[in-house]
Structures are given as structure tokens and as C-alpha cells.
């Protein structure tokens, strides 16, 4: 079964460093998302992406964050200058528009755990 | 704006018993979808069940069923015949089809523990 893959599974970085989290959505999906989950807390929406542009973003998604789809398969989240409070699990998700995905179900990757020291 | 509320931070259930996890929502969108996801301790998000706002029947998927009460704006998840492997966090989520079309909003989750 097709799946969303994310790399790295875990990254440790120093405060102020740039981090890029990578995602490969399911190949025929058109809508892409990043969510984050601080340990033990709710899953928070960051950004959605469609047709090569951001379609919606939350108040969390400030100027330190950016997303890109550099080629036909990858979808990246960049944090320019990490802060301690950016430590979280970051989930990539994708959604198609037909078939099994007609319910609008989000398919999630396994997450990238970011630890900022 | 859309909002999802899960009022049970934690629940216990005896193995083989049924359990209901509560979810209420608020939206001004006329058309929306409701989801339940399971997050085991390993961290991945697993889709369980979907209910569309115009669906006449309550959704069922194996041991999972969604008790959808539109007038009350509730979408409770019922797990029948609980198994030890059902111990996990459970998140209710909603996707709007207008306005908030591109966003799925999650509740705060309910931690379910199944007791042998």
C-alpha cells in the first residue's frame, strides 16, 4: 500500500540552526500538509499546500517556517532559526481527490522528531 | 472557524468490553467531514473511520463505529470488544469543505488504556 515517508525520523539540533524536514507524499496525491505535535499534546495544523503554493497556514507558521516542493516527489518544511519551543514531532500528510481518498482522509507519515537544544 | 472538543483526557476499559470516546465539534460550514485517528505509543497516526456530514448512515469499520448526532454536533467513536492493542491516543478531527477547506483540525485527544 502506498505510504507517506518522512526523513529524518529524529533530528537533534542546536538552537538557532536551520533544519529541513523532508517528506515524500503518496505519488498521485495533490494536497500536502505539515502538522506538529509537541510531546503529549494535540496535533496542530501548520500549513497546507496545493498547486505549488500555500493554500492555508496557521498562526504558528511564521516567517521562520517555509515549505517547498522542489521536484515532483519531495515536500519539505524548513525552519530557518530553530527555537527551543520548536521541539516537537512533525507530521507530513497528503490527500488525494479520488478513490479511497475521496473521503478526504489524510495519510500521515511516521513523523520526524525534532529536538532543539 | 472550526473547533473540535474531546473532553476525556483519559479512559480505561476492560478487555472485551465496548468503550465510547466523546467528540463534539463546531463549524459554520454546511458540509464537513469527521475523522478518528489512532496514535499508538510508536507515534504514527492511523486513520480509523470517516463520517460525512450528509451521510445518512453512521459509519462503521470493523470494531469501530461512529455515533454521529448532527443536531448535537457530536461524533463519538465506539470501539466494540476492546483489545489490548487498542491502548493508544485517539484523536477526533474535522475537515471543512468551504472556508476551512484545506485544513483538518484535531481535538486534544483521549488516551485509552485497555485493562486485561
Amino acid at each position: 500500500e502506498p505510504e507517506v515517508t518522512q526523513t529524518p525520523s529524529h533530528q537533534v539540533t542546536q538552537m538557532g540552526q536551520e533544519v529541513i524536514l523532508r517528506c515524500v507524499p503518496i505519488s498521485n496525491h495533490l494536497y500536502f500538509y505539515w502538522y506538529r505535535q509537541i510531546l503529549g499534546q494535540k496535533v496542530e495544523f501548520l500549513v497546507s499546500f496545493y498547486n505549488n503554493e500555500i493554500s492555508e497556514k496557521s498562526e504558528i507558521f511564521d516567517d521562520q517556517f517555509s515549505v517547498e516542493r522542489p521536484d515532483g516527489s519531495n515536500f519539505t518544511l524548513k525552519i530557518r532559526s530553530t527555537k527551543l519551543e520548536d521541539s516537537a514531532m512533525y507530521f507530513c500528510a497528503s490527500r488525494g481527490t479520488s478513490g479511497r481518498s475521496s473521503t478526504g482522509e489524510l495519510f500521515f507519515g511516521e513523523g520526524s522528531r525534532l529536538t532543539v537544544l | 472557524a472550526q473547533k473540535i472538543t474531546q473532553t476525556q483526557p483519559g479512559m480505561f476499559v476492560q478487555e472485551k468490553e465496548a468503550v465510547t470516546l466523546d467528540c463534539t465539534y463546531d463549524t459554520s460550514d454546511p458540509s464537513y467531514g469527521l475523522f478518528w485517528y489512532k496514535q499508538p505509543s510508536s507515534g504514527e497516526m492511523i486513520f480509523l473511520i470517516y463520517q460525512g456530514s450528509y451521510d445518512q448512515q453512521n459509519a462503521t469499520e470493523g470494531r469501530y463505529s461512529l455515533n454521529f448526532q448532527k443536531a448535537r454536533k457530536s461524533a463519538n467513536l465506539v470501539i466494540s470488544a476492546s483489545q489490548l492493542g487498542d491502548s493508544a491516543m485517539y484523536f477526533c478531527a474535522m475537515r471543512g469543505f468551504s472556508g476551512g477547506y484545506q485544513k483538518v483540525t484535531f481535538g486534544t485527544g483521549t488516551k485509552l488504556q485497555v485493562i486485561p
Side-chain angles (χ1 to χ4, degrees), chain A residues 40-42, chain B residues 5-12 19-23 36 39 87-91 107-113:
Chain A
Q41 298 187 25
K42 69 184 292 184
Chain B
T5 303
Q6 294 180 253
T7 56
Q8 305 155 313
M11 291 279 286
F12 289 91
V19 63
T20 299
L21 306 183
D22 295 341
C23 173
W36 278 90
Q39 186 180 41
S87 294
M89 281 289 285
Y90 288 80
F91 291 96
T108 51
T110 296
K111 184 172 184 178
L112 177 67
Q113 295 186 62

Side-chain angles (χ1 to χ4, degrees), chain B residues 36-78:
Chain B
W36 278 90
Y37 283 85
K38 173 184 178 181
Q39 186 180 41
S41 57
S42 50
E44 71 267 34
M45 295 287 283
I46 302 167
F47 167 74
L48 294 178
I49 196 166
Y50 166 82
Q51 179 84 42
S53 59
Y54 292 120
D55 292 345
Q56 297 296 316
Q57 307 272 357
N58 284 347
T60 60
E61 286 284 350
R63 293 186 299 111
Y64 304 109
S65 61
L66 202 152
N67 183 4
F68 180 48
Q69 298 189 46
K70 194 170 182 178
R72 294 186 176 184
K73 293 190 174 180
S74 73
N76 299 339
L77 176 70
V78 180

Side-chain angles (χ1 to χ4, degrees), chain A:
Chain A
E1 187 171 317
E3 59 182 21
V4 177
T5 57
Q6 289 185 242
T7 55
S9 56
H10 189 194
Q11 182 159 353
V12 181
T13 190
Q14 294 289 327
M15 190 169 61
Q17 295 296 305
E18 177 182 284
V19 161
I20 297 176
L21 305 179
R22 292 183 167 81
C23 171
V24 179
I26 293 172
S27 61
N28 61 348
H29 282 185
L30 300 176
Y31 301 89
F32 313 115
Y33 305 82
W34 283 101
Y35 285 80
R36 81 171 185 191
Q37 185 182 31
I38 295 169
L39 186 63
Q41 298 187 25
K42 69 184 292 184
V43 179
E44 299 174 297
F45 169 77
L46 292 178
V47 66
S48 60
F49 193 88
Y50 172 71
N51 200 26
N52 287 319
E53 61 182 19
I54 291 173
S55 49
E56 189 163 355
K57 60 183 180 179
S58 72
E59 60 276 7
I60 302 169
F61 195 87
D62 61 22
D63 292 344
Q64 293 298 315
F65 291 89
S66 62
V67 289
E68 198 176 36
R69 189 155 161 81
D71 52 43
S73 59
N74 290 286
F75 178 51
T76 61
L77 174 69
K78 182 193 290 186
I79 309 174
R80 249 179 284 281
S81 177
T82 50
K83 303 186 285 282
L84 295 177
E85 53 265 36
D86 293 328
S87 295
M89 180 76 90
Y90 288 81
F91 288 101
C92 174
S94 69
R95 177 170 71 85
T97 57
S98 62
R100 184 168 181 263
S101 299
S102 62
T103 62
E105 168 198 347
L106 296 184
F107 290 79
F108 282 86
E110 294 192 343
S112 293
R113 181 167 296 284
L114 177 64
T115 302
V116 182
L117 302 176

